Amino acid sequence: MKLNVAIMGATGAVGQEMLRTLEMRHFPCTSLKLLASERSVGKKFPFRGRLVPVEKLTPESFEEIDIVLASAGASVSREFVPYAVKAGAVVVDNTSAFRMEPDIPLVVPEVNADALANHKGIIANPNCSTAQMVVAIAPIHRAVGIKRLVISTYQSVSGTGQKAIDECLRQTREILLEGKKEVERKVYPHQIAFNVIPQIPQKDAFGENGYTSEEMKMVNETKKIMGDPSIMVTATTVRVPVYIGHSESVNVETEKKLTADQARELLRNAPGVVVQDDPGAQLYPLPIHAAGRYETFVGRIREDISHPSALDMWIVADNLLKGAASNAVQIAEELLRMGM
């Protein structure tokens, strides 16, 4: 099957990775349309040996389009995705706009590809931190059940976008090369260079329960993807001065005892997972090695010395790929296999 594909938000960091991933994974596009705001019209990006121009996103942009990969922000998706569905396209949406809608599948293909059978034109792509984590914990849940997750994230600045990457780089230069004590802050409320910020997203007000929306995304999305609302989840999400790659410390309390060796064996055989776990040789996942890779990397797997049925693990992935672009393309591949 050959498909007409559109990328909505094509000039953003995730949109650019979607473009590269379509090419790298040889997705069968008959045509490709790049859609963005008016200020990006006329820009051209390479795809399979030719330059594809950016077109203005309008309600009429989706005629004869089969699949839309959308990553232009939640408000843009809420406005334009209904036009795409009305035109007959299937939309894989990377924003938070539809994730928790009960009739819209929230999908990580390694975990719950079967949920795609019930789609009604929209499939939601999960939050980047949730996506990589569920790839690693789903095999454990299937084997022995999970009662509770305690999560701390270390999320790269690329999760905020190119302006955040630029701000981190600028602040680093100003502090190191110019000796500045105070640096300009435009993207984050605090200096991000040589610092960590326990607030994601940066402009988010804390909820009445003291959690940010990012933390509640991990709570609610995990339960939906895993298909088990009984799993107890708590999360603290933190921004760190890393360009690409989210890292997570996850404590997994299981229904039945699972040893560290048993967990390693499960994960070595799990789709989309690479086990890097030899602390004696200083082998464990690092964001600099996960950048540019589609897999989720897991290491530091050990039995929790404070609990008889719990494990600790360290989970790392490229947030622009498995956390966004490549997961979206994988969903499109599954749709293709299922005949849409």
Side-chain angles (χ1 to χ4, degrees), residues 136-152:
I137 66 170
I140 294 172
H141 188 51
R142 285 192 286 264
V144 294
I146 291 175
K147 291 178 65 176
R148 185 170 186 252
L149 299 166
V150 181
I151 307 155
S152 295

Side-chain angles (χ1 to χ4, degrees), residues 155-214:
Q155 297 180 220
S156 66
V157 292
S158 59
T160 309
Q162 186 61 47
K163 290 182 179 179
I165 296 174
D166 294 342
E167 177 157 295
C168 186
L169 180 60
R170 173 181 54 77
Q171 290 179 354
T172 302
R173 286 172 172 166
E174 289 176 353
I175 292 167
L176 285 180
L177 301 180
E178 301 174 27
K180 286 188 176 182
K181 302 296 183 183
E182 294 290 332
V183 291
E184 186 178 22
R185 305 181 302 275
K186 292 183 177 180
V187 178
Y188 296 117
H190 305 283
Q191 172 186 313
I192 184 60
F194 308 101
N195 198 19
V196 297
I197 304 173
Q199 180 182 3
I200 302 175
Q202 68 280 359
K203 296 180 180 178
D204 192 31
F206 289 88
E208 290 184 4
N209 61 2
Y211 286 69
T212 66
S213 63
E214 183 86 357

Side-chain angles (χ1 to χ4, degrees), residues 83-325:
Y83 292 114
V85 174
K86 186 177 180 180
V90 178
V91 181
V92 182
D93 186 71
N94 189 56
T95 76
S96 62
F98 307 105
R99 289 173 184 160
M100 296 313 299
E101 294 293 326
D103 60 341
I104 293 178
L106 180 64
V107 175
V108 175
E110 295 92 337
V111 179
N112 65 333
D114 56 321
L116 292 170
N118 301 316
H119 82 80
K120 299 176 182 177
I122 304 172
I123 297 101
N125 212 30
N127 177 52
C128 47
S129 297
T130 306
Q132 69 184 63
M133 182 184 69
V134 296
V135 171
I137 66 170
I140 294 172
H141 188 51
R142 285 192 286 264
V144 294
I146 291 175
K147 291 178 65 176
R148 185 170 186 252
L149 299 166
V150 181
I151 307 155
S152 295
T153 72
Y154 307 75
Q155 297 180 220
S156 66
V157 292
S158 59
T160 309
Q162 186 61 47
K163 290 182 179 179
I165 296 174
D166 294 342
E167 177 157 295
C168 186
L169 180 60
R170 173 181 54 77
Q171 290 179 354
T172 302
R173 286 172 172 166
E174 289 176 353
I175 292 167
L176 285 180
L177 301 180
E178 301 174 27
K180 286 188 176 182
K181 302 296 183 183
E182 294 290 332
V183 291
E184 186 178 22
R185 305 181 302 275
K186 292 183 177 180
V187 178
Y188 296 117
H190 305 283
Q191 172 186 313
I192 184 60
F194 308 101
N195 198 19
V196 297
I197 304 173
Q199 180 182 3
I200 302 175
Q202 68 280 359
K203 296 180 180 178
D204 192 31
F206 289 88
E208 290 184 4
N209 61 2
Y211 286 69
T212 66
S213 63
E214 183 86 357
E215 290 158 353
M216 292 310 300
K217 286 175 188 175
M218 293 201 75
V219 172
N220 297 321
E221 292 177 20
T222 298
K223 295 179 180 186
K224 183 174 180 179
I225 295 166
M226 302 286 280
D228 188 347
S230 73
I231 300 174
M232 295 180 288
V233 185
T234 185
T236 301
T237 57
V238 182
R239 190 71 68 190
V240 298
V242 170
Y243 286 164
I244 294 174
H246 287 359
S247 304
E248 299 168 344
S249 171
V250 182
N251 179 269
V252 185
E253 181 183 344
T254 54
E255 296 280 356
K256 299 177 183 178
K257 172 71 175 178
L258 188 71
T259 68
D261 285 340
Q262 289 170 332
R264 288 187 197 96
E265 188 63 22
L266 276 174
L267 292 171
R268 286 192 183 103
N269 295 305
V273 175
V274 175
V275 175
Q276 295 180 328
D277 196 13
D278 188 357
Q282 298 179 326
L283 177 63
Y284 30 70
L286 298 172
I288 58 171
H289 297 151
R293 299 281 297 272
Y294 297 135
E295 305 96 329
T296 294
F297 298 85
V298 186
R300 297 294 319 277
I301 302 167
R302 60 204 187 277
E303 293 166 40
D304 181 348
I305 60 174
S306 71
H307 194 285
S309 297
L311 297 167
D312 288 299
M313 60 181 63
W314 179 248
I315 302 169
V316 180
D318 185 320
N319 54 292
L320 299 179
L321 291 177
K322 187 55 196 172

Side-chain angles (χ1 to χ4, degrees), residues 20-40:
R20 284 188 280 269
T21 302
L22 287 171
E23 183 161 11
M24 290 289 292
R25 294 177 72 92
H26 305 288
F27 192 82
C29 303
T30 299
S31 68
L32 178 65
K33 184 179 285 190
L34 304 182
L35 302 171
S37 64
E38 189 169 16
R39 65 178 178 272
S40 296

